[in-house]
Amino acid sequence: MIQQVGELDSMSHFFSPKAVAAAMGVSESSLKRWVDKGLIQAEKTGGGHRRLQLDSVLQFAREAGKPITRPELIGLPEGLGSTALFGDGASTEFEKALASGDEITARRVVLDLYLNNTSVATICDTIITPGFQKIGSMWHCGSMEIYEERRACETCSRVIHELRRAVGTGMIGGPEAMGGTLDGDPYTLASCMTELVLRDCGWRANSLGNMLPFETLRRALERDRPRLMWLSVTSIRDADRFIASFNTLCETATSHGSAIVVGGQALTADIRRLLRYTTYCDNFQHLEAFGKSLNPRN
Ligand code: B12
């Protein structure tokens, strides 16, 4: 499918058919045929040359099972394809990379899984979250320094950024979602992952960041009217105030037709009993199922 410049997000990354063909180890004419069949999205430059979107190329490679043999030609890390994808290989490698701040390995493991057609939700639940559980317990029992834990968070943020480049900005015309963490909650990773999981299911999802006052989220619902707002809750300062403000926010969402989706370690069964929301998810695979059910075009 060939689109005009301007319809595509300016943050997407574009490559020539020649570079993509070389990266995939196929002829340029095969590649152009796939573009003409609409299997890979492209735009045309003023001079009439095709430019291919990285996320669309990777989506095609994922679904068609085509390996990227020269990843460096399209700005991806070298060494892709060398992760042991079965058994505990990938999670052990990722966990060690997080603990030592080895960003190159962490990126490679996650991108290999993604290109092997593992959903973003599954990568987050089975590789990234367990990696942080391990980091948390090492920190708790004193076998990890604070700087090492913070380095793991920074490393992971950069890996998520890389994955975002691969996933793209979501389906054109897909439903809108936004969300983040609430006032007093400094945790960033789960909300960034929520954004990616929803984008992977075709949603136009945007993370609003962390420490958001309830009042500003209420305004976001009124002004932007997203189909879905997510809230990731890892830390609650004052439970009574939290519950009251949360339920007011949910009333606003209901009156504007927005779903409220929540998850996070602080939402214990006792707290959840007192909250109103559309759905609670224990993990990202639950979110993926919910997100797909509300976006059946996927
Ligand atoms: C990284 C981290 C931090 C970082 C966060 C930095 C950042 N940029 O995000 C910082 C340094 C801020 C931090 C601070 C603290 N931390 Co801390 N932290 C962690 C750690 C290691 C990882 C958390 C994380 O992001 N995990 C990755 C996410 C994806 O996993 P998750 O939250 O479990 O999410 C899963 C589900 O809950 C769900 N989910 C979550 N959100 C959402 C949202 C939606 C919409 C959906 C669908 C699903 C979903 O999906 C995931 C499943 O795959 C955990 C260890 C652990 N076991 O979690 C400790 C941990 C949470 N921290 C802990 C503590 C004690 C603290 C501090 C009090 C330390 C201190 N003395 O200062 C402070 C408190 C800060 C505060 N104001 O609340 C304890 C909490 C114990 C408790 N239950 O009370 C833990 C468990 C460590 C431990 N073993 O003791 N921490």
Side-chain angles (χ1 to χ4, degrees), residues 2 16 23 49 52 67 84 106 114 127-128 135 138 142 169 175 191 193 227 263 277 287:
I2 300 188
S16 68
H49 299 291
L52 313 190
Y114 180 74
I127 303 291
I128 304 181
I135 298 277
M138 284 166 80
T169 51
S191 184
M193 290 184 215
R227 179 78 190 81
Y277 48 79
L287 174 68

Side-chain angles (χ1 to χ4, degrees), residues 1-284:
M1 186 196 300
I2 300 188
Q3 302 185 29
Q4 294 305 309
V5 182
E7 274 185 67
L8 298 164
D9 193 281
S10 60
M11 289 301 285
S12 296
H13 295 74
F14 296 95
F15 294 93
S16 68
K18 191 173 176 188
V20 174
M24 293 178 82
V26 298
S27 68
E28 210 177 323
S29 58
S30 302
L31 198 95
K32 285 181 177 163
R33 214 173 31 249
W34 294 332
V35 172
D36 292 340
K37 280 188 183 164
L39 299 174
I40 302 178
Q41 281 185 3
E43 72 163 66
K44 275 202 169 171
T45 63
H49 299 291
R50 293 177 181 86
R51 284 289 173 269
L52 313 190
Q53 263 180 278
L54 179 67
D55 53 341
S56 180
V57 169
L58 298 186
Q59 188 69 31
F60 171 72
R62 245 182 134 190
E63 285 167 5
K66 303 256 183 237
I68 311 277
T69 48
R70 303 270 316 274
E72 68 282 6
L73 297 179
I74 50 173
L76 297 173
E78 287 186 47
L80 273 189
S82 59
T83 307
L85 295 174
F86 301 102
D88 293 341
S91 52
T92 308
E93 216 183 344
F94 185 78
E95 193 183 293
K96 284 189 184 149
L98 265 192
S100 62
D102 177 357
E103 187 182 326
I104 292 174
T105 302
R107 285 167 74 197
R108 193 241 305 140
V109 170
V110 165
L111 278 178
D112 268 344
L113 286 161
Y114 180 74
L115 288 171
N116 193 45
N117 220 0
T118 308
S119 75
V120 171
T122 305
I123 297 173
C124 291
D125 285 339
T126 63
I127 303 291
I128 304 181
T129 303
F132 275 101
Q133 280 162 354
K134 187 70 189 286
I135 298 277
S137 50
M138 284 166 80
W139 167 80
H140 190 62
C141 69
S143 61
M144 176 170 269
E145 278 292 331
I146 290 176
Y147 86 87
E148 292 174 301
E149 185 213 34
R150 302 288 155 85
R151 183 176 63 192
C153 292
E154 293 297 308
T155 303
C156 188
S157 298
R158 290 191 286 269
V159 171
I160 291 174
H161 179 71
E162 179 82 29
L163 193 53
R164 190 183 294 114
R165 222 164 70 87
V167 171
T169 51
M171 195 192 292
I172 293 169
E176 287 209 24
M178 57 175 67
T181 81
L182 294 159
D183 233 353
D185 187 335
Y187 289 83
T188 56
L189 300 175
S191 184
C192 291
M193 290 184 215
T194 305
E195 177 190 68
L196 271 188
V197 168
L198 287 171
R199 287 186 182 192
D200 197 33
C201 306
W203 287 70
R204 305 281 296 176
N206 282 304
S207 172
L208 305 173
N210 61 356
M211 312 273 276
L212 293 151
F214 278 102
E215 189 48 30
T216 200
L217 290 175
R218 206 174 57 73
R219 271 188 229 119
L221 286 167
E222 286 168 352
R223 287 191 192 167
D224 291 10
R225 301 186 171 227
R227 179 78 190 81
L228 181 160
M229 179 173 275
W230 75 81
L231 298 164
S232 175
V233 189
T234 313
S235 172
I236 298 176
R237 263 199 222 140
D238 177 332
D240 291 339
R241 282 182 56 190
F242 174 84
I243 291 162
S245 308
F246 189 98
N247 288 337
T248 307
L249 183 71
C250 196
E251 272 167 33
T252 308
T254 309
S255 65
H256 289 86
S258 302
I260 295 278
V261 178
V262 295
Q265 298 181 32
L267 294 181
T268 57
D270 286 344
I271 296 265
R272 289 201 316 268
R273 255 193 292 281
L274 303 169
L275 297 179
R276 289 194 285 278
Y277 48 79
T278 313
T279 192
Y280 163 79
C281 300
D282 271 319
N283 59 44
F284 294 119

